[in-house]
């Protein structure tokens, strides 16, 4: 599954692979250690989502006009 929606990967997956831009390589593997059914109100949910967004932000390439 490829996912770009905030939090959806944490909600659905047991393992999340964060990839780099180019070349597309796996930068980090994140294990989602949460019981099912998962709740977005669980503090772990927010922490994992923040970790993923931080990883994605670190790998972003910005262009300047």
């Amino acid at each position: 599954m490829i996912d770009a929606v905030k939090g959806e990967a944490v909600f659905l997956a047991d393992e999340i692979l964060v990839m780099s831009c180019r070349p597309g390589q796996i930068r980090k593997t994140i294990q989602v250690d949460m019981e099912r059914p998962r709740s977005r109100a669980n503090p772990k949910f927010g922490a994992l989502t923040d970790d993923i967004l931080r990883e994605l932000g670190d790998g972003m390439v910005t262009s300047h006009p």
Side-chain angles (χ1 to χ4, degrees):
M1 172 176 78
I2 298 175
D3 186 12
V5 177
K6 179 181 177 182
E8 189 171 312
V10 175
F11 194 73
L12 297 174
D14 293 321
E15 182 176 78
I16 299 167
L17 305 176
V18 179
M19 296 186 68
S20 64
C21 290
R22 290 190 181 108
Q25 297 178 344
I26 297 171
R27 292 181 46 193
K28 185 172 185 177
T29 301
I30 299 171
Q31 299 298 321
V32 181
D33 185 25
M34 293 175 59
E35 293 182 11
R36 291 185 186 272
R38 295 189 177 148
S39 168
R40 295 178 193 272
N42 184 329
K44 279 186 176 181
F45 189 94
L48 284 168
T49 301
D50 290 346
D51 187 28
I52 293 164
L53 292 175
R54 193 170 21 262
E55 284 294 323
L56 291 172
D58 289 346
M60 296 296 286
V61 176
T62 57
S63 60
H64 302 283

